[in-house]
Protein backbone atom coordinates (compact mmCIF):
# COMPACT_ATOMS: atom_id res chain seq x y z
CA UNK A 1 0.00 0.00 0.00
CA UNK A 2 2.92 2.35 0.67
CA UNK A 3 4.31 1.53 -2.76
CA UNK A 4 0.96 2.49 -4.28
CA UNK A 5 0.59 5.59 -2.14
CA UNK A 6 4.07 6.71 -3.17
CA UNK A 7 2.90 6.64 -6.79
CA UNK A 8 5.14 3.74 -7.76
CA UNK A 9 3.80 1.55 -10.55
CA UNK A 10 4.72 -0.83 -13.37
CA UNK A 11 8.28 -0.42 -14.63
CA UNK A 12 9.27 2.07 -11.91
CA UNK A 13 12.60 1.52 -10.24
CA UNK A 14 13.24 1.40 -6.51
CA UNK A 15 16.67 1.12 -4.92
CA UNK A 16 16.63 -1.54 -2.21
CA UNK A 17 18.65 -4.25 -0.52
CA UNK A 18 19.06 -7.93 -1.45
CA UNK A 19 19.90 -8.72 2.21
CA UNK A 20 16.39 -8.83 3.66
CA UNK A 21 13.35 -10.95 4.18
CA UNK A 22 11.75 -11.34 0.72
CA UNK A 23 8.64 -9.32 1.60
CA UNK A 24 10.52 -6.00 1.23
CA UNK A 25 11.15 -6.70 -2.46
CA UNK A 26 7.90 -8.54 -3.08
CA UNK A 27 5.92 -5.41 -2.15
CA UNK A 28 7.54 -3.81 -5.22
CA UNK A 29 7.08 -6.80 -7.51
CA UNK A 30 3.35 -7.02 -6.80
CA UNK A 31 2.99 -3.45 -8.11
CA UNK A 32 5.07 -4.20 -11.19
CA UNK A 33 7.95 -2.09 -9.86
CA UNK A 34 11.54 -3.24 -10.19
CA UNK A 35 13.85 -3.67 -7.22
CA UNK A 36 17.27 -2.28 -8.09
CA UNK A 37 19.59 -3.90 -5.60
CA UNK A 38 22.71 -2.38 -4.14
CA UNK A 39 25.04 -4.19 -1.76
CA UNK A 40 25.25 -3.72 1.98
CA UNK A 41 27.55 -2.54 4.72
CA UNK A 42 29.53 -5.60 5.84
CA UNK A 43 29.44 -4.54 9.48
CA UNK A 44 25.69 -4.11 9.97
CA UNK A 45 24.11 -5.84 6.98
CA UNK A 46 22.16 -2.64 6.24
CA UNK A 47 22.01 -1.08 2.78
CA UNK A 48 25.22 0.84 1.99
CA UNK A 49 24.32 4.56 1.68
CA UNK A 50 27.30 5.27 -0.59
CA UNK A 51 26.05 2.68 -3.04
CA UNK A 52 22.54 4.13 -2.75
CA UNK A 53 23.99 7.53 -3.70
CA UNK A 54 25.92 6.06 -6.61
CA UNK A 55 22.90 4.10 -7.84
CA UNK A 56 20.70 7.21 -7.73
CA UNK A 57 23.25 8.96 -9.97
CA UNK A 58 24.10 6.03 -12.25
CA UNK A 59 21.04 3.80 -12.19
CA UNK A 60 21.93 2.10 -15.50
CA UNK A 61 24.92 0.49 -13.82
CA UNK A 62 22.71 -1.19 -11.25
CA UNK A 63 19.78 -2.45 -13.32
CA UNK A 64 19.01 -6.15 -13.09
CA UNK A 65 20.56 -8.25 -15.84
CA UNK A 66 17.30 -9.58 -17.22
CA UNK A 67 14.71 -6.87 -17.21
CA UNK A 68 12.79 -5.30 -20.02
CA UNK A 69 12.46 -1.81 -18.72
CA UNK A 70 10.85 0.59 -21.15
CA UNK A 71 10.26 3.98 -19.60
CA UNK A 72 12.30 3.35 -16.52
CA UNK A 73 12.02 5.96 -13.85
CA UNK A 74 13.69 5.87 -10.49
CA UNK A 75 11.00 6.64 -7.89
CA UNK A 76 12.08 5.61 -4.43
CA UNK A 77 14.49 4.06 -1.98
CA UNK A 78 13.38 1.16 0.23
CA UNK A 79 15.85 0.57 3.08
CA UNK A 80 15.36 -2.22 5.61
CA UNK A 81 16.26 -1.99 9.30
CA UNK A 82 18.02 -5.34 9.31
CA UNK A 83 17.79 -7.50 12.45
CA UNK A 84 16.40 -4.53 14.41
CA UNK A 85 19.11 -1.97 13.71
CA UNK A 86 18.03 1.13 11.74
CA UNK A 87 19.58 1.77 8.34
CA UNK A 88 21.66 4.96 8.00
CA UNK A 89 18.56 7.05 7.36
CA UNK A 90 20.15 10.54 7.30
CA UNK A 91 22.44 9.51 4.47
CA UNK A 92 19.59 7.76 2.64
CA UNK A 93 17.21 10.72 3.08
CA UNK A 94 19.90 13.06 1.74
CA UNK A 95 20.12 11.02 -1.47
CA UNK A 96 16.31 10.92 -1.69
CA UNK A 97 16.10 14.69 -1.31
CA UNK A 98 18.75 15.33 -3.94
CA UNK A 99 16.99 13.11 -6.49
CA UNK A 100 13.34 13.71 -5.52
CA UNK A 101 12.72 10.12 -4.38
CA UNK A 102 10.27 8.74 -1.85
CA UNK A 103 11.62 6.72 1.09
CA UNK A 104 9.77 3.66 2.35
CA UNK A 105 11.43 2.40 5.51
CA UNK A 106 10.90 -1.30 6.14
CA UNK A 107 11.10 -1.28 9.93
CA UNK A 108 9.37 -4.64 10.29
CA UNK A 109 12.32 -5.94 12.30
CA UNK A 110 12.95 -2.77 14.30
CA UNK A 111 9.88 -1.83 16.32
CA UNK A 112 11.07 0.54 19.06
CA UNK A 113 14.63 0.93 17.73
CA UNK A 114 16.03 4.45 17.59
CA UNK A 115 18.39 6.18 15.17
CA UNK A 116 20.15 9.26 16.61
CA UNK A 117 17.39 9.29 19.21
CA UNK A 118 14.54 9.12 16.68
CA UNK A 119 12.14 6.21 16.26
CA UNK A 120 12.81 3.75 13.45
CA UNK A 121 9.96 3.82 10.96
CA UNK A 122 9.36 7.57 11.37
CA UNK A 123 12.40 8.62 9.36
CA UNK A 124 11.27 8.20 5.76
CA UNK A 125 8.00 9.12 4.03
CA UNK A 126 6.51 5.80 5.12
CA UNK A 127 7.46 3.30 7.80
CA UNK A 128 6.19 -0.28 7.98
CA UNK A 129 6.01 -2.66 10.94
CA UNK A 130 4.96 -6.30 11.00
CA UNK A 131 3.52 -8.42 13.79
CA UNK A 132 3.95 -12.01 12.65
CA UNK A 133 4.71 -14.27 15.66
CA UNK A 134 8.50 -14.13 15.18
CA UNK A 135 8.54 -10.34 15.64
CA UNK A 136 9.14 -8.43 18.88
CA UNK A 137 5.38 -8.12 19.40
CA UNK A 138 2.75 -10.13 17.61
CA UNK A 139 -0.87 -9.90 16.56
CA UNK A 140 -0.69 -13.30 14.88
CA UNK A 141 -0.65 -11.62 11.48
CA UNK A 142 -0.78 -8.04 10.34
CA UNK A 143 1.14 -4.85 10.71
CA UNK A 144 1.12 -1.08 10.87
CA UNK A 145 2.06 1.74 8.50
CA UNK A 146 3.35 5.09 9.71
CA UNK A 147 3.24 8.28 7.64
CA UNK A 148 2.91 12.03 8.12
CA UNK A 149 1.30 12.34 4.70
CA UNK A 150 -2.44 12.69 5.37
CA UNK A 151 -3.42 12.23 1.76
CA UNK A 152 -1.47 8.99 1.54
CA UNK A 153 -2.92 7.86 4.87
CA UNK A 154 -6.49 8.41 3.63
CA UNK A 155 -5.71 6.52 0.44
CA UNK A 156 -4.16 3.59 2.31
CA UNK A 157 -7.07 3.48 4.80
CA UNK A 158 -9.36 3.17 1.79
CA UNK A 159 -7.20 0.52 0.12
CA UNK A 160 -7.17 -1.70 3.19
CA UNK A 161 -10.94 -1.37 3.60
CA UNK A 162 -12.33 -2.60 0.26
CA UNK A 163 -11.65 0.78 -1.33
CA UNK A 164 -13.97 2.77 0.93
CA UNK A 165 -12.56 6.29 1.12
CA UNK A 166 -13.16 8.30 4.31
CA UNK A 167 -16.80 9.43 4.02
CA UNK A 168 -17.89 6.53 1.81
CA UNK A 169 -20.81 4.49 3.11
CA UNK A 170 -20.59 0.70 3.60
CA UNK A 171 -21.47 0.05 -0.04
CA UNK A 172 -19.58 2.92 -1.62
CA UNK A 173 -16.14 2.15 -2.96
CA UNK A 174 -14.14 5.08 -4.33
CA UNK A 175 -11.14 2.86 -5.06
CA UNK A 176 -10.37 -0.69 -6.09
CA UNK A 177 -9.43 -1.91 -2.63
CA UNK A 178 -8.44 -4.94 -0.60
CA UNK A 179 -9.42 -6.48 2.67
CA UNK A 180 -6.14 -5.80 4.47
CA UNK A 181 -7.82 -5.02 7.77
CA UNK A 182 -6.43 -6.26 11.05
CA UNK A 183 -9.26 -7.73 13.10
CA UNK A 184 -10.28 -6.19 16.41
CA UNK A 185 -9.14 -9.10 18.57
CA UNK A 186 -5.67 -9.15 17.05
CA UNK A 187 -5.44 -5.38 17.32
CA UNK A 188 -6.35 -5.56 21.01
CA UNK A 189 -3.59 -8.11 21.51
CA UNK A 190 -1.13 -5.79 19.78
CA UNK A 191 -2.26 -2.73 21.73
CA UNK A 192 -1.73 -4.53 25.01
CA UNK A 193 1.79 -5.59 24.01
CA UNK A 194 2.58 -2.06 22.82
CA UNK A 195 1.93 -0.83 26.35
CA UNK A 196 4.72 -3.17 27.50
CA UNK A 197 7.05 -2.56 24.55
CA UNK A 198 9.82 -1.03 26.61
CA UNK A 199 9.82 -4.00 28.99
CA UNK A 200 9.74 -6.46 26.05
CA UNK A 201 12.68 -4.74 24.36
CA UNK A 202 14.63 -4.45 27.61
CA UNK A 203 14.38 -8.19 28.21
CA UNK A 204 15.64 -8.84 24.69
CA UNK A 205 18.48 -6.37 25.29
CA UNK A 206 19.43 -8.33 28.38
CA UNK A 207 19.56 -11.61 26.45
CA UNK A 208 21.64 -9.95 23.70
CA UNK A 209 24.02 -8.62 26.38
CA UNK A 210 24.40 -12.11 27.88
CA UNK A 211 25.25 -13.46 24.44
CA UNK A 212 27.71 -10.67 23.77
CA UNK A 213 29.50 -11.26 27.06
CA UNK A 214 29.90 -14.97 26.32
CA UNK A 215 30.57 -14.97 22.58
CA UNK A 216 32.74 -11.90 21.98
CA UNK A 217 35.92 -13.79 22.84
CA UNK A 218 35.16 -16.98 20.93
CA UNK A 219 37.68 -17.21 18.08
CA UNK A 220 35.93 -17.82 14.78
CA UNK A 221 32.66 -16.22 15.90
CA UNK A 222 31.66 -12.60 15.17
CA UNK A 223 28.88 -11.01 17.18
CA UNK A 224 26.50 -8.32 15.85
CA UNK A 225 28.01 -4.88 15.26
CA UNK A 226 26.02 -1.89 16.49
CA UNK A 227 26.66 1.53 14.91
CA UNK A 228 27.17 4.60 17.12
CA UNK A 229 24.11 6.22 15.51
CA UNK A 230 21.97 3.30 16.66
CA UNK A 231 20.77 4.73 19.96
CA UNK A 232 18.59 1.69 20.64
CA UNK A 233 18.63 -1.68 18.94
CA UNK A 234 15.34 -3.50 18.93
CA UNK A 235 16.73 -7.03 18.99
CA UNK A 236 14.75 -9.09 16.48
CA UNK A 237 17.09 -12.03 16.03
CA UNK A 238 20.60 -12.69 17.27
CA UNK A 239 22.75 -13.48 14.26
CA UNK A 240 26.36 -14.51 14.70
CA UNK A 241 28.80 -14.95 11.83
CA UNK A 242 31.35 -17.67 11.54
CA UNK A 243 34.84 -17.16 10.24
CA UNK A 244 35.27 -18.01 6.54
CA UNK A 245 37.22 -21.14 7.55
CA UNK A 246 34.22 -22.59 9.38
CA UNK A 247 31.51 -24.17 7.24
CA UNK A 248 28.32 -22.54 8.53
CA UNK A 249 26.00 -25.27 7.24
CA UNK A 250 28.04 -28.03 8.85
CA UNK A 251 28.13 -26.05 12.06
CA UNK A 252 24.35 -25.57 11.91
CA UNK A 253 23.92 -29.36 11.62
CA UNK A 254 26.20 -29.97 14.60
CA UNK A 255 24.35 -27.44 16.73
CA UNK A 256 20.96 -28.85 15.72
CA UNK A 257 22.21 -32.33 16.60
CA UNK A 258 23.02 -31.06 20.07
CA UNK A 259 19.53 -29.62 20.47
CA UNK A 260 20.25 -25.99 19.58
CA UNK A 261 17.81 -24.78 16.92
CA UNK A 262 19.48 -22.38 14.47
CA UNK A 263 18.68 -20.74 11.11
CA UNK A 264 20.78 -19.25 8.33
CA UNK A 265 19.84 -15.53 7.98
CA UNK A 266 19.26 -14.29 5.18
CA UNK A 267 19.40 -16.23 1.94
CA UNK A 268 20.01 -13.34 -0.51
CA UNK A 269 16.89 -12.18 -2.36
CA UNK A 270 18.57 -11.94 -5.77
CA UNK A 271 19.37 -15.68 -5.56
CA UNK A 272 15.85 -16.85 -4.66
CA UNK A 273 14.58 -19.04 -7.53
CA UNK A 274 11.73 -16.74 -8.62
CA UNK A 275 14.09 -13.74 -8.63
CA UNK A 276 16.71 -15.59 -10.67
CA UNK A 277 14.01 -16.50 -13.16
CA UNK A 278 12.66 -12.96 -13.38
CA UNK A 279 15.84 -10.89 -13.25
CA UNK A 280 18.71 -13.30 -13.94
CA UNK A 281 20.51 -12.74 -10.64
CA UNK A 282 23.75 -14.68 -10.21
CA UNK A 283 26.17 -15.67 -7.53
CA UNK A 284 28.73 -12.86 -7.39
CA UNK A 285 26.30 -10.01 -8.09
CA UNK A 286 26.30 -8.77 -4.48
CA UNK A 287 29.40 -10.18 -2.78
CA UNK A 288 28.86 -8.68 0.68
CA UNK A 289 25.25 -9.84 0.83
CA UNK A 290 26.28 -13.31 -0.33
CA UNK A 291 29.15 -13.47 2.14
CA UNK A 292 26.95 -12.57 5.09
CA UNK A 293 24.28 -14.91 3.75
CA UNK A 294 26.82 -17.75 3.87
CA UNK A 295 28.33 -17.01 7.25
CA UNK A 296 25.38 -15.80 9.33
CA UNK A 297 23.46 -18.00 11.73
CA UNK A 298 20.56 -16.96 13.96
CA UNK A 299 20.86 -18.65 17.32
CA UNK A 300 18.03 -19.16 19.84
CA UNK A 301 16.73 -15.78 20.92
CA UNK A 302 13.74 -14.46 22.82
CA UNK A 303 12.93 -12.21 25.74
CA UNK A 304 12.06 -15.16 27.96
CA UNK A 305 15.43 -16.92 27.70
CA UNK A 306 17.22 -17.36 31.00
CA UNK A 307 20.90 -16.76 31.61
CA UNK A 308 21.33 -20.53 32.08
CA UNK A 309 19.85 -21.18 28.65
CA UNK A 310 22.16 -18.59 27.10
CA UNK A 311 25.07 -20.27 28.90
CA UNK A 312 24.09 -23.66 27.51
CA UNK A 313 23.85 -22.34 23.93
CA UNK A 314 27.17 -20.50 24.21
CA UNK A 315 29.00 -23.45 25.74
CA UNK A 316 27.86 -25.73 22.94
CA UNK A 317 28.81 -23.17 20.28
CA UNK A 318 32.23 -22.73 21.89
CA UNK A 319 32.81 -26.50 22.02
CA UNK A 320 31.73 -27.08 18.43
CA UNK A 321 33.81 -24.17 17.11
CA UNK A 322 36.86 -25.44 18.99
CA UNK A 323 36.44 -28.92 17.50
CA UNK A 324 36.11 -27.58 13.95
C1 LIG B 1 8.68 -9.72 8.84
C2 LIG B 1 9.15 -8.85 7.76
C3 LIG B 1 8.24 -8.32 6.84
C4 LIG B 1 6.77 -8.64 6.86
O1 LIG B 1 6.51 -9.97 6.71
P1 LIG B 1 5.02 -10.53 7.01
O2 LIG B 1 5.12 -11.96 6.69
O3 LIG B 1 4.14 -9.76 6.09
O4 LIG B 1 4.72 -10.22 8.42
C5 LIG B 1 8.72 -7.44 5.89
N1 LIG B 1 10.02 -7.12 5.82
C6 LIG B 1 10.93 -7.61 6.69
C7 LIG B 1 12.35 -7.19 6.56
C8 LIG B 1 10.52 -8.51 7.67
O5 LIG B 1 11.43 -9.04 8.51
Amino acid sequence: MCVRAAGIGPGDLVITTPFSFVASSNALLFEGAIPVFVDIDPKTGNIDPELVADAAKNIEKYLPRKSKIENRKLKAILPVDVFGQPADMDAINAVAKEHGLAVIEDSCEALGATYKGKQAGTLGDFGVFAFYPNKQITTGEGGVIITNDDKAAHFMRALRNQGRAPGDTWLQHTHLGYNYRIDEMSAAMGASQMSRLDEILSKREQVAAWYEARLSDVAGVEIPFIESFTTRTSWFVYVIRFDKKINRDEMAKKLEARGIPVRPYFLPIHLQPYMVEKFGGREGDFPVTEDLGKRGLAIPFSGVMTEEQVDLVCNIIREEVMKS
Side-chain angles (χ1 to χ4, degrees):
M1 294 201 294
C2 296
V3 172
R4 280 274 191 93
I8 299 163
D12 288 339
L13 309 174
V14 178
I15 298 170
T16 190
T17 169
F19 191 68
S20 172
F21 183 63
V22 288
S24 58
S25 286
N26 290 355
L28 301 170
L29 296 181
F30 282 124
E31 298 306 319
I34 295 168
V36 179
F37 292 130
V38 301
D39 216 340
I40 55 173
D41 178 320
K43 298 193 304 299
T44 61
N46 277 326
I47 195 165
D48 182 335
E50 282 178 28
L51 291 176
V52 173
D54 190 53
K57 277 200 199 82
N58 310 295
I59 195 74
E60 303 291 320
K61 224 169 82 186
Y62 292 84
L63 293 177
R65 186 171 286 113
K66 211 173 103 183
S67 56
K68 291 186 219 77
I69 302 161
E70 269 125 45
N71 44 8
R72 52 176 85 114
K73 185 159 181 352
L74 178 61
K75 287 281 187 70
I77 308 171
L78 196 163
V80 177
D81 300 333
V82 169
F83 304 154
Q85 173 163 219
D88 188 356
M89 293 303 292
D90 280 353
I92 290 164
N93 284 332
V95 176
K97 199 163 173 210
E98 189 186 337
H99 296 268
L101 307 174
V103 176
I104 301 173
E105 193 186 356
D106 181 342
S107 297
C108 289
E109 302 187 353
L111 180 69
T114 60
Y115 170 83
K116 301 182 185 175
K118 289 177 274 185
Q119 291 287 330
T122 65
L123 302 163
D125 298 293
F126 302 92
V128 186
F129 297 97
F131 305 137
Y132 186 75
N134 66 339
K135 302 295 204 259
Q136 289 86 330
I137 74 165
T138 184
T139 56
E141 286 284 3
V144 155
I145 294 169
I146 309 272
T147 185
N148 282 332
D149 178 339
D150 287 339
K151 199 165 153 250
H154 288 316
F155 177 60
M156 293 189 286
R157 286 199 177 99
L159 278 191
R160 77 156 177 207
N161 189 23
Q162 301 283 18
R164 295 178 187 100
D168 280 356
T169 63
W170 185 246
L171 293 176
Q172 276 180 316
H173 307 268
T174 299
H175 306 281
L176 168 64
Y178 305 97
N179 177 353
Y180 280 180
R181 293 178 302 252
I182 192 168
D183 64 275
E184 298 274 315
M185 285 173 289
S186 305
M189 198 187 198
S192 122
Q193 289 168 84
M194 277 303 283
S195 69
R196 300 194 286 117
L197 182 64
D198 186 56
E199 176 199 331
I200 291 169
L201 296 186
S202 299
K203 285 185 176 157
R204 298 172 82 93
E205 279 165 334
Q206 173 64 75
V207 175
W210 286 332
Y211 269 131
E212 178 172 347
R214 287 158 182 78
L215 293 177
S216 55
D217 66 340
V218 178
V221 171
E222 271 171 57
I223 58 167
F225 175 85
I226 304 301
E227 287 281 4
S228 57
F229 54 63
T230 302
T231 37
R232 184 171 204 184
T233 305
S234 172
W235 290 92
F236 165 55
V237 281
Y238 198 88
V239 179
I240 58 173
R241 295 179 198 157
F242 292 106
D243 193 278
K244 283 190 173 68
K245 282 172 277 181
I246 298 174
N247 181 320
R248 188 267 322 264
D249 294 332
E250 300 271 298
M251 185 56 70
K253 274 193 209 131
K254 287 181 193 154
L255 295 174
E256 294 269 1
R258 295 194 60 184
I260 307 297
V262 292
R263 292 265 187 297
Y265 246 92
F266 292 108
L267 306 180
I269 297 179
H270 66 287
L271 299 178
Q272 299 286 348
Y274 70 99
M275 293 295 292
V276 172
E277 192 182 322
K278 196 168 167 62
F279 295 117
R282 285 182 203 150
E283 194 85 37
D285 285 349
F286 302 99
V288 183
T289 294
E290 291 162 23
D291 178 52
L292 298 199
K294 282 191 191 107
R295 295 195 292 120
L297 196 68
I299 59 178
F301 186 75
S302 82
V304 296
M305 277 183 88
T306 63
E307 196 166 5
E308 290 67 38
Q309 288 173 319
V310 171
D311 262 335
L312 178 73
V313 172
C314 294
N315 289 340
I316 292 176
I317 290 174
R318 192 187 290 268
E319 285 167 26
E320 291 301 334
V321 167
M322 265 161 48
K323 276 195 260 167
S324 72

